[in-house]
Amino acid sequence: MSFYAPDAVWDSSPLGMEVYEGQAAILGFFEDWMGAYEQYEMALEEALDLGNGVAFALAIQKGRPAGSSSEVRLRYAAVSVWEDGLIVRVTNYTDIDETRTAAERLAESRE
């Protein structure tokens, strides 16, 4: 959690989930999310530094929920905003192309 600002925001509302504010809340979300799986992995398909403190990432998560023999997958895009070497906000989306365009616009607007 050391690369998150103390008041960082993890926003999964575009995925129909919650918004978590602060390192402790974000860590709690990660622990709950990963703890629901007997097997879990995440891989980055793409990561881009768009400049001006904005990054775009395309990721896939795979896992087998506890007590299940089935695997679930989530492919999503994330836009992160960095300030002074720390993440201040991450927003997660399912529409990859729309997210990439929005991230590029955000990077340009922060010039």
Side-chain angles (χ1 to χ4, degrees):
M1 295 304 301
S2 62
F3 48 87
Y4 285 90
D7 59 347
V9 175
W10 181 273
D11 183 355
S12 292
S13 62
L15 301 176
M17 298 169 60
E18 301 292 324
V19 176
Y20 300 90
E21 297 183 29
Q23 287 178 337
I26 294 168
L27 178 60
F29 164 70
F30 289 157
E31 290 173 341
D32 290 347
W33 183 264
M34 288 181 250
Y37 296 91
E38 289 183 21
Q39 292 178 331
Y40 174 86
E41 68 180 74
M42 188 199 57
L44 283 176
E45 292 183 17
E46 184 178 1
L48 299 171
D49 179 348
L50 300 173
N52 300 315
V54 178
F56 168 85
L58 176 57
I60 186 164
Q61 294 183 31
K62 298 182 222 176
R64 185 170 52 81
S68 175
S69 60
S70 298
E71 180 180 87
V72 294
R73 294 175 185 236
L74 174 62
R75 187 170 186 252
Y76 67 100
V79 177
S80 58
V81 177
W82 295 70
E83 293 177 3
D84 299 321
L86 296 173
I87 298 171
V88 295
R89 184 174 192 87
V90 176
T91 308
N92 302 285
Y93 304 89
T94 55
D95 188 318
I96 309 306
D97 294 329
E98 185 175 305
T99 304
R100 185 186 316 271
T101 300
E104 290 168 350
R105 272 190 249 136
L106 177 60
E108 289 173 10
S109 74
R110 291 174 54 98
E111 290 182 339

